């Protein structure tokens, strides 16, 4: 297809800090190249309600420092149905929109793929390029998604604060962080925080084993503290994907600790829990997320202008990816354009992924788990 002339931008799914930087760069870049740029509000829901308007450059000039997304976001279950997607395509046709930049995670990019399915398009011109944005970092074929860096920084800042009070009281803290089914945020922030243990769903451990792991960690830290005159506080980062509610985990750990610890003051071991929740998703984007959003948007819009479709702009040099699914972006030597269908297939089953990145991630989870308590 010829290059796109009227391009819509849409953010969908859980918002991620840095989405605004991507919106801004996409709109400015497209406009500079002569395309007409449109904002679609509230993700696919807004598309169905025809909430589409041209983007005023003045309105987006200063948004890159803001968290969330100025376009708004939503999760739209109804988009799974073909007649619903037909309505969305009709709305796009009404506005003459022939290109879409979809900024979001797994569900959002799945929606993009279906919206631009050639069998459903029936000749309607519509190209789509995805931009990975999700604090979960659960999308395949990109080493990072927009929002992950800011979320990690938020977790580290919160854990540093908790560590102060944990140290003062020699307490054990179990801190739950977002990430849906993916343990990436828990694992990487555990390293950055210097945590004693990370609990993540990829380990696939049953409840009893997790409790034992925590108790063993607490005892090991106390023994080490005794030998080396070090503090006895314990920081444990738990991914939300580990399906035990934190309060239940605390009760099980406390019960097991009182059975296992036979020192003079077993009551001296105190456990507390903190769920960081949506705090992790908010806040001003880090400098890196602003850059990442801007660079991936530049790559995505240039691809649409060149008539490319069904790709995701990825933060990975193509040398790291199989040549059959990735090409170097002519706009940025650190970014690739990767096949969207392959991204979604690999994301479906991350532990079984076929790419070098998938293998590395699976191995890294195991190695880091063992290395934390030194
Ligand atoms: O996908 C981003 C995310 O923040 C996940 O980490 C979390 O499980 C989920 O969204 C929460 O969704 P909601 O904001 O709809 O409750």
């Amino acid at each position: 297809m010829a290059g796109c002339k009227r391009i819509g931008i849409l953010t969908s799914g859980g918002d991620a800090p840095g989405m605004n930087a991507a919106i801004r760069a996409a709109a400015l870049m497209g406009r500079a190249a002569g395309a007409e740029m449109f904002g679609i509000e509230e993700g696919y829901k807004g598309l169905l309600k025809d909430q589409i308007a041209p983007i005023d450059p003045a309105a987006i000039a200063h948004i890159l420092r803001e968290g969330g997304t100025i376009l708004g976001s939503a999760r739209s279950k109804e988009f799974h149905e073909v007649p619903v997607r037909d309505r969305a395509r009709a709305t796009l046709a009404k506005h003459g929109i022939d290109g879409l930049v979809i900024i979001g995670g797994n569900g959002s990019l799945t929606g993009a793929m279906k919206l631009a399915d050639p069998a459903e398009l029936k000749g309607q011109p519509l190209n789509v390029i995805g931009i990975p944005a999700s604090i979960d970092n659960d999308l395949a074929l990109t080493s990072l998604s927009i929002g992950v860096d800011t979320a990690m920084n938020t977790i580290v800042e919160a854990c540093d604060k908790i560590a102060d009070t944990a140290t003062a009281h020699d307490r054990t803290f179990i801190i739950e962080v977002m990430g849906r089914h993916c343990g990436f945020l828990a694992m990487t922030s555990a390293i950055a925080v210097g945590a004693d243990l990370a609990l993540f769903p990829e380990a696939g451990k049953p409840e009893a084993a997790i409790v034992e792991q925590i108790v063993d960690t607490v005892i090991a830290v106390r023994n080490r503290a005794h030998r080396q005159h070090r503090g006895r506080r314990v920081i444990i980062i738990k991914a939300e994907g580990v399906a035990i509610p934190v309060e239940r985990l605390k009760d099980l750990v406390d019960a097991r600790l009182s059975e296992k610890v036979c020192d003079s003051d077993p009551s001296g071991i105190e456990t507390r829990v903190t769920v960081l929740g949506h705090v992790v998703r908010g806040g001003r984007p880090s400098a890196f997320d602003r850059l990442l959003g801007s660079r991936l948007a530049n790559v995505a819009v240039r691809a649409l202008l060149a008539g490319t479709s069904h790709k995701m702009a990825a933060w990975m040099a193509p040398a790291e990816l199989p040549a059959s699914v990735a090409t170097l972006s002519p706009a940025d030597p650190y970014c690739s354009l990767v096949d969207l269908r392959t991204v979604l297939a690999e994301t479906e089953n991350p532990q079984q992924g076929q790419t070098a990145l998938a293998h590395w991630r699976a191995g890294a989870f195991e190695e880091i788990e063992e290395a934390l308590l030194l």
Side-chain angles (χ1 to χ4, degrees):
M1 186 187 133
C4 300
K5 305 251 178 318
R6 292 167 75 88
I7 298 174
I9 306 172
L10 172 156
T11 50
S12 157
D15 57 288
M19 278 182 161
N20 281 330
I23 295 168
R24 174 180 174 274
L28 297 181
M29 171 61 221
R31 191 166 184 269
E36 286 179 68
M37 302 301 293
F38 297 84
I40 303 170
E41 291 176 2
E42 273 188 70
Y44 293 113
K45 269 197 178 150
L47 173 55
L48 290 168
K49 290 191 273 177
D50 199 0
Q51 292 172 211
I52 302 177
I55 294 181
D56 171 7
I60 55 162
H62 304 299
I63 60 169
L64 89 170
R65 68 172 84 110
E66 305 297 338
T69 157
I70 55 147
L71 290 174
S73 192
R75 303 188 200 276
S76 170
K77 287 214 174 76
E78 49 182 348
F79 216 70
H80 291 294
E81 296 156 27
V82 179
V84 174
R85 292 200 291 274
D86 282 340
R87 263 172 50 216
R89 281 183 284 262
T91 308
L92 290 171
K94 187 179 108 185
H95 290 274
I97 292 177
D98 54 7
L100 272 182
V101 176
I102 312 274
I103 307 168
N106 189 10
S108 314
L109 300 192
T110 303
M113 195 74 198
K114 290 182 174 166
L115 190 64
D117 181 343
E120 293 184 18
L121 277 175
K122 298 180 194 119
Q124 177 180 341
L126 182 64
N127 283 9
V128 291
I129 301 285
I131 296 183
S134 164
I135 62 162
D136 303 339
N137 212 31
D138 56 350
L139 274 166
L141 273 64
T142 181
S143 63
L144 280 174
S145 294
I146 295 170
V148 178
D149 183 65
T150 308
M152 271 191 302
N153 279 294
T154 303
I155 294 171
V156 170
E157 200 183 327
C159 288
D160 283 352
K161 289 179 177 160
I162 291 172
D164 288 345
T165 174
T167 306
H169 292 268
D170 272 345
R171 280 176 175 158
T172 292
F173 269 83
I174 303 172
I175 303 159
E176 183 179 284
V177 301
M178 273 193 170
R180 203 181 285 272
H181 306 301
C182 179
F184 186 91
L185 268 186
M187 188 55 85
T188 50
S189 51
I191 298 170
V193 162
D196 302 288
L197 180 65
L199 304 168
F200 49 95
E202 290 81 354
K205 293 207 167 107
E207 186 175 274
I210 290 173
V211 172
E212 224 44 42
Q213 212 183 352
I214 296 176
V215 168
D216 289 349
T217 301
V218 173
I219 292 172
V221 170
R222 288 171 75 84
N223 290 341
R224 184 184 65 189
H226 183 69
R227 283 196 314 275
Q228 301 173 2
H229 307 288
R230 285 164 65 175
R232 304 198 296 178
R233 69 106 170 109
V234 180
I235 299 292
I236 294 163
I237 301 199
K238 170 190 173 294
E240 71 168 339
V242 173
I244 317 168
V246 279
E247 288 296 344
R248 174 174 164 77
L249 191 56
K250 171 185 159 34
D251 290 347
L252 293 170
V253 166
D254 286 347
R256 190 72 182 119
L257 273 171
S258 61
E259 277 167 26
K260 256 189 136 173
V261 178
C262 318
D263 70 14
S264 53
D265 182 19
S267 64
I269 306 182
E270 283 188 275
T271 318
R272 295 285 189 274
V273 294
T274 304
V275 177
L276 295 182
H278 286 79
V279 167
V280 171
R281 217 163 77 187
R284 287 188 185 278
S286 64
F288 179 79
D289 270 329
R290 298 179 199 194
L291 269 175
L292 183 64
S294 304
R295 289 174 75 166
L296 292 179
N298 176 41
V299 166
V301 169
R302 284 178 192 260
L304 286 174
L305 293 168
T308 305
S309 187
H310 295 81
K311 306 276 184 207
M312 179 183 82
W315 183 245
M316 260 185 96
E320 311 292 325
L321 294 164
S324 55
V325 299
T327 51
L328 175 67
S329 155
D332 192 323
Y334 287 89
C335 298
S336 301
L337 285 162
V338 294
D339 177 60
L340 194 47
R341 190 178 297 282
T342 313
V343 170
L344 297 173
E346 288 250 329
T347 301
E348 190 77 12
N349 198 350
Q351 297 304 96
Q352 304 297 318
Q354 296 306 307
T355 60
L357 176 64
H359 290 157
W360 175 81
R361 271 194 190 169
F365 273 124
E366 276 173 36
E367 284 171 18
I368 293 165
E369 185 189 17
E370 282 163 22
L372 277 180
L373 184 65
L374 292 176

